[in-house]
Amino acid sequence: MHKKITFIVLFFTTTIQSFSQTGQTVRGRITDSFTNNPISGASISIVNTKLGSSTDTEGNYIISNVPSGRYRIKISSINYTEGIVYELVVDLSKEKIADFKLQEKANNLAEVIVHPINSGTINPTSSRTFTVEETQRFAASFYDPARLVASFPGITTTNDQGNNISVRGNSPNALVWRLEGVEIVNPNHLTNAGTINDRPMQNGGGTIVLSAQMLDNSQFLSGAFSPEYGGSVAGLFDMRLRKGNNKKREYTVQAGFLGVDLSAEGPFSKNSKASYLLNYRYSFTGLLNAFGVPLGDEKIAFQDIALNISLPSKKAGNFTLFGIYGASSNDFEITDESKKIFAKDYSSINFNAKFITFGATHEISFGKKASLRSVIALSEKQNNRSELEYSKRVSSYSGPIFDNLSNQRTSFNTTLNYRISSTNRLKIGLSIANINDQSAHGDLSKPSPYYLAKIDGLLFQPFINFQSNVTSKIALNLGLYYQKLTANNTESVEPRSSLSYKINEKNNLTFAYSLQGQMQLVAAYGPESNPGFIPENRNLKFSQAHHYVVSYNKIFSKNTHFKTEVFLQNHFNVLTTKTKSPLSGMNLIDEYQLTVPLNNVGTATNKGIELSIEKYFQKKYYYLVSTTLYDAKYKGSNGIEINSRFNGKYAANFTAGKEWDWNKKSKNRVIGVNVRGIFQGGYSESPIDVESSRFFQRSLSFNNTENIFSVKLPDYSRFDLRLSVKKQKPNYTRILSLDIQNVTNHLNTAYFYFDWAQNKVIEKKQLGMIPVLNWRAEF
């Protein structure tokens, strides 16, 4: 009887506690930023609360019953510099798993901001680490990190329809994508989005293949790379995957005008520390097409699935397995003759693309001094486009005309971190990539319909990086990056350095230099043999650029900081034609067929200043304001300096948001309002050659020295708005949001082209107002 009473009392006590619990669990692991070793006995506390914890012998911590909200976290440990996390979001629906890394204390360094990525990989200048929460919060980012970065200084986008990114006046083709530390091919759906005639682009697209549900905090670099980064003369997007919850199964369901997004994560078993994270997306327009709902004369669809498996071990280190598959399509055809108004209306166009990436990572520590991280991955992208084109001159169809672009990388990367002392560290790494790129173009109605450009070979990229805290005020970063392409035995030796001076607790000054190189687009190398074989094109060098950056950071308060950077990029070995002309690789954006002799005698100069002030999300509001003034000019093989295509001269952005708690009738609600404004100077275009365009029935431009890029498009401006309501219950959160891109419906100019059906030059506008309603549930 006594045992029964005791059981009943315990049952009701446990039940009451479970129903009365209004908070969530925050847990994670604290490790050394350089060796990845666990830090035991570290203290972690939530600022302005009594909540906190300490780590066990494996570096794990757990804080229970944390109310929902946004918090600042303080982390401290003996022999380590105190870390501050400015923003940690806790919801009632899911456990908050937050891993942090601390830097070993050297020369009495004061507190530092704890970055989500290993602090040993943070670029000293020209970089921005962003969180998944920002991707879900910024207005009209549509859960796409590539659209989020448009709010950062020095970044402009070329078209509303895509996420093509121009960094400090460079072509979007100069951007390199990384996943889990290795370079991958262009990870975007609908790479034809926003282009003339729907042709595929080398970089960017309609939306990124990877759902934000899969992403961990990531980093964007815009210049003066640290020695461990390379392969680009402009920018680098370094994405990381999130690990699934290894103790509890959790789910996310999202539905709206973007589509359906389903996510599941959890442990493989109760006794295993291994976990999985699985996500599937299907586009809203694709669903409507599948159900037979007409959406005009154009059918657009995309879907993707991603998986990340974490397999920790006791002695062999930590393993992960990851994979991503994405497919997209865009079909255009007008069957009703009465609706054919413009030249494109007479064409039948089919575009489809497939993307796949899969790989594995391994991390292991060797005592307190060293750690090794290795990654192997295969990534491949296929873009196929075909068109039946109507010719008014002969009143018949020709073709089909086709464009096929494929890129493949099989990459291996390994990096050894070695701590020489508390003030000196060494990193040595090697990347090896097997490259196989092809670009085919043709017209099947012609006797010789096929042109194929191809490049295949190994790309070796070793580096060495020495980091030293010389004094309590001076930090030094020295290194060397090397590249060699076996396909033509070209190479690039790239020294890197930076020197940071801590003026005082609130002011810091950094000088950085890097030489950066990038191989040419596949179309530049041409065929391996006849027809179209051009021997000199097979031996093109890397394009290269000297980057100089002076960066000044000032902390106004614990929530607000100011940053300004002055940058200069001197490009050389730039792709251009062997004959004297103003053409340059600095201006390429879509998939090009370069069928003339080429060389590397072009140059370019990009220079400017960036200013930004940012307040972290504290006291229910945040803001980020940035301004960039820049100038981008180039010289082709004729040696004459000209404004580049992407020389908009200026870019200004502001992003801000505010939240209000609304807990009426014991209901936990949060109302959010986020706004964004984007202002940038118009890009440049070449004037349309009307007579030639009329004769050949396609848009042709004047590309001589006197006219190339002499037409400046109107300045660009756009306002975005995001309204959201979050409702929370224990283990369940719902978010209803409305994103409105271009809330004022301002029609910016995209480009000009000659339309033979209209017999005139047409101004093509970018997208108007786009409202996107979305419902999200986490449980």
Side-chain angles (χ1 to χ4, degrees):
M1 183 67 178
H2 176 72
K3 291 182 178 180
K4 290 183 178 180
I5 294 174
T6 302
F7 173 78
I8 293 171
V9 171
L10 288 175
F11 174 80
F12 277 103
T13 302
T14 305
T15 304
I16 291 170
Q17 287 177 347
S18 65
F19 276 102
S20 62
Q21 182 176 340
T22 58
Q24 186 55 271
T25 297
V26 177
R27 64 181 178 89
R29 195 164 183 256
I30 299 177
T31 56
D32 185 289
S33 65
F34 200 70
T35 65
N36 208 35
N37 278 316
I39 301 175
S40 61
S43 173
I44 178 168
S45 60
I46 300 179
V47 179
N48 297 325
T49 74
K50 296 181 180 180
L51 300 171
S53 181
S54 59
T55 57
D56 60 19
T57 56
E58 295 184 354
N60 297 312
Y61 73 90
I62 183 168
I63 307 175
S64 301
N65 206 24
V66 180
S68 63
R70 299 179 186 273
Y71 297 100
R72 178 183 297 172
I73 306 297
K74 181 178 289 187
I75 311 162
S76 59
S77 180
I78 298 174
N79 298 325
Y80 285 89
T81 302
E82 187 175 83
I84 298 294
V85 181
Y86 279 98
E87 184 182 353
L88 187 74
V89 181
V90 178
D91 288 330
L92 296 181
S93 55
K94 291 184 176 183
E95 288 187 339
K96 185 66 179 182
I97 301 175
D99 296 336
F100 303 115
K101 298 180 182 293
L102 293 182
Q103 298 180 27
E104 187 179 27
K105 188 177 293 183
N107 300 321
N108 298 317
L109 289 176
E111 68 180 31
V112 297
I113 299 175
V114 178
H115 289 274
I117 298 178
N118 186 331
S119 60
T121 68
I122 293 297
N123 222 44
T125 61
S126 305
S127 67
R128 173 60 151 79
T129 301
F130 60 91
T131 66
V132 176
E133 197 278 332
E134 287 177 312
T135 306
Q136 297 173 350
R137 185 211 315 153
F138 278 29
S141 65
F142 302 140
Y143 303 98
D144 186 342
R147 293 179 182 268
L148 167 77
V149 300
S151 299
F152 300 161
I155 309 300
T156 57
T157 55
T158 61
N159 196 296
D160 284 344
Q161 294 185 45
N163 53 22
N164 308 90
I165 301 168
S166 173
V167 182
R168 291 177 170 174
N170 288 283
S171 165
N173 287 339
L175 181 67
V176 164
W177 300 83
R178 276 192 178 190
L179 181 65
E180 289 295 313
V182 295
E183 182 178 341
I184 61 172
V185 299
N186 179 19
N188 283 279
H189 288 302
L190 300 168
T191 50
N192 63 328
T195 64
I196 301 176
N197 295 328
D198 291 320
R199 299 190 69 216
M201 291 177 288
Q202 293 279 351
N203 223 329
T207 185
I208 199 166
V209 170
L210 199 58
S211 168
Q213 313 292 345
M214 295 293 298
L215 283 175
D216 201 348
N217 303 299
S218 302
Q219 189 181 14
F220 189 90
L221 286 72
S222 53
F225 292 172
S226 183
E228 66 190 285
Y229 294 110
S232 168
V233 294
L236 189 147
F237 212 132
D238 191 11
M239 300 181 295
R240 300 297 173 97
L241 297 175
R242 181 172 66 87
K243 294 181 176 63
N245 192 326
N246 62 359
K247 290 186 178 181
K248 183 181 179 182
R249 300 193 191 281
E250 296 176 331
Y251 307 91
T252 299
V253 177
Q254 188 168 272
F257 292 166
L258 292 176
V260 176
D261 197 326
L262 309 173
S263 180
E265 60 184 288
F268 283 101
S269 68
K270 293 182 179 180
N271 300 321
S272 173
K273 293 184 178 180
S275 67
Y276 67 88
L277 174 61
L278 176 67
N279 191 91
Y280 175 74
R281 291 192 305 177
Y282 200 96
S283 64
F284 177 71
T285 53
L287 286 172
L288 293 181
N289 290 332
F291 284 106
V293 179
L295 289 174
D297 303 300
E298 194 162 14
K299 297 179 180 179
I300 301 174
F302 68 83
Q303 61 179 318
D304 51 64
I305 187 169
L307 175 66
N308 190 33
I309 298 174
S310 175
L311 300 168
S313 68
K314 290 184 178 181
K315 295 183 179 180
N318 298 320
F319 298 84
T320 68
L321 302 174
F322 60 89
I324 307 165
Y325 171 78
S328 59
S329 63
N330 185 352
D331 298 323
F332 176 85
E333 183 176 12
I334 295 179
T335 57
D336 187 345
E337 293 293 330
S338 64
K339 294 183 178 180
K340 294 181 178 181
I341 301 174
F342 299 100
K344 180 183 175 180
D345 300 341
Y346 289 83
S347 297
S348 176
I349 303 173
N350 172 263
F351 176 87
N352 66 83
K354 289 181 173 60
F355 171 90
I356 186 170
T357 288
F358 59 89
T361 71
H362 176 238
E363 295 179 341
I364 189 170
S365 298
F366 304 103
K368 296 183 178 180
K369 285 187 172 291
S371 66
L372 182 71
R373 186 177 192 272
S374 302
V375 189
I376 186 168
L378 181 144
S379 63
E380 184 175 358
K381 182 68 176 289
Q382 295 280 349
N383 298 279
N384 300 300
R385 175 188 179 274
S386 65
E387 175 185 3
L388 286 173
E389 187 180 54
Y390 181 81
S391 174
K392 187 178 181 180
R393 286 184 297 166
V394 294
S395 299
S396 65
Y397 284 91
S398 63
I401 300 170
F402 63 88
D403 291 285
N404 299 329
L405 175 64
S406 68
N407 305 95
Q408 186 184 86
R409 298 284 187 279
T410 303
S411 304
F412 172 76
N413 174 281
T414 185
T415 301
L416 174 68
N417 297 329
Y418 181 74
R419 177 180 284 121
I420 302 172
S421 65
S422 63
T423 58
N424 300 303
R425 298 177 293 180
L426 185 67
K427 302 185 73 171
I428 301 174
L430 171 65
S431 291
I432 303 175
N434 182 47
I435 297 173
N436 188 343
D437 293 349
Q438 295 186 23
S439 175
H441 176 76
D443 185 344
L444 295 181
S445 65
K446 296 182 178 180
S448 299
Y450 206 80
Y451 177 82
L452 174 68
K454 184 177 182 180
I455 187 73
D456 58 84
L458 295 177
L459 180 63
F460 291 93
Q461 297 170 310
F463 77 89
I464 185 169
N465 183 199
F466 173 73
Q467 302 170 349
S468 176
N469 292 315
V470 182
T471 69
S472 60
K473 291 182 175 293
I474 298 175
L476 180 66
N477 193 19
L478 293 173
L480 192 68
Y481 192 91
Y482 174 77
Q483 299 189 81
K484 182 172 182 176
L485 180 63
T486 63
N488 56 13
N489 290 319
T490 58
E491 60 183 1
S492 175
V493 181
E494 305 171 10
R496 313 281 176 83
S497 64
S498 68
L499 182 67
S500 297
Y501 176 66
K502 185 178 181 180
I503 302 171
N504 52 44
E505 295 298 321
K506 294 187 176 182
N507 296 273
N508 188 77
L509 188 65
T510 300
F511 303 88
Y513 162 78
S514 70
L515 175 59
Q516 298 171 201
Q518 185 170 6
M519 64 179 290
Q520 307 299 333
L521 303 176
V522 58
Y525 295 101
E528 289 182 321
S529 59
N530 288 325
F533 176 67
I534 304 173
E536 53 263 51
N537 290 5
R538 301 297 298 174
N539 297 314
L540 292 170
K541 303 176 184 178
F542 291 97
S543 294
Q544 293 181 288
H546 296 286
H547 285 243
Y548 307 89
V549 175
V550 179
S551 177
Y552 169 69
N553 287 268
K554 181 177 180 59
I555 299 174
F556 287 114
S557 67
K558 291 184 176 181
N559 300 326
T560 308
H561 77 274
F562 168 81
K563 182 177 183 180
T564 182
E565 289 195 350
V566 178
F567 63 88
L568 170 64
Q569 300 174 3
N570 288 329
H571 295 260
F572 61 101
N573 286 347
V574 176
L575 182 70
T576 185
T577 57
K578 195 169 184 180
T579 57
K580 301 294 183 182
S581 82
L583 300 179
S584 171
M586 297 294 293
N587 303 306
L588 300 181
I589 184 170
D590 56 359
E591 198 273 333
Y592 241 70
Q593 298 302 322
L594 301 168
T595 57
V596 297
L598 304 170
N599 59 20
N600 293 91
V601 301
T603 61
T605 302
N606 296 34
K607 57 187 176 182
I609 182 172
E610 299 171 354
L611 303 98
S612 65
I613 184 168
E614 181 171 11
K615 180 189 178 299
Y616 299 106
F617 208 132
Q618 292 290 321
K619 297 182 179 179
K620 300 295 182 182
Y621 74 99
Y622 75 96
Y623 60 80
L624 169 61
V625 181
S626 67
T627 299
T628 304
L629 303 175
Y630 68 101
D631 190 35
K633 289 184 168 63
Y634 77 96
K635 293 181 181 179
S637 56
N638 60 4
I640 299 175
E641 188 173 69
I642 302 170
N643 279 320
S644 79
R645 179 178 188 172
F646 307 101
N647 191 13
K649 299 291 187 179
Y650 79 92
N653 304 279
F654 74 84
T655 300
K658 170 70 175 174
E659 288 185 352
W660 293 269
D661 291 329
W662 183 31
N663 297 325
K664 189 176 181 181
K665 294 182 180 180
S666 300
K667 292 184 178 180
N668 190 329
R669 295 189 183 96
V670 178
I671 297 175
V673 176
N674 295 270
V675 296
R676 178 166 69 169
I678 301 176
F679 312 90
Q680 61 188 51
Y683 292 149
S684 297
E685 280 195 349
S686 301
I688 302 296
D689 183 345
V690 176
E691 294 303 319
S692 296
S693 298
R694 183 177 290 118
F695 178 79
F696 289 103
Q697 292 188 15
R698 64 182 66 244
S699 190
L700 300 172
S701 300
F702 288 106
N703 286 320
N704 53 15
T705 303
E706 292 75 22
N707 292 285
I708 192 168
F709 301 123
S710 60
V711 177
K712 190 175 185 302
L713 298 180
D715 289 355
Y716 176 100
S717 64
R718 195 184 86 203
F719 292 92
D720 303 329
L721 175 67
R722 175 178 172 83
L723 306 173
S724 64
V725 177
K726 179 192 293 185
K727 298 180 180 180
Q728 298 193 75
K729 294 180 179 180
N731 300 317
Y732 181 59
T733 296
R734 292 169 295 169
I735 303 173
L736 182 65
S737 62
L738 174 64
D739 282 272
I740 305 177
Q741 177 178 291
N742 197 356
V743 68
T744 62
N745 199 34
H746 178 66
L747 298 180
N748 294 287
T749 300
Y751 51 81
F752 291 91
Y753 77 100
F754 180 83
D755 191 291
W756 59 258
Q758 293 285 310
N759 196 28
K760 64 180 179 180
V761 174
I762 300 292
E763 178 185 12
K764 183 69 174 180
K765 294 292 187 178
Q766 299 199 46
L767 298 178
M769 183 173 64
I770 302 177
V772 175
L773 186 66
N774 193 72
W775 176 83
R776 176 186 176 95
E778 300 175 349
F779 52 96

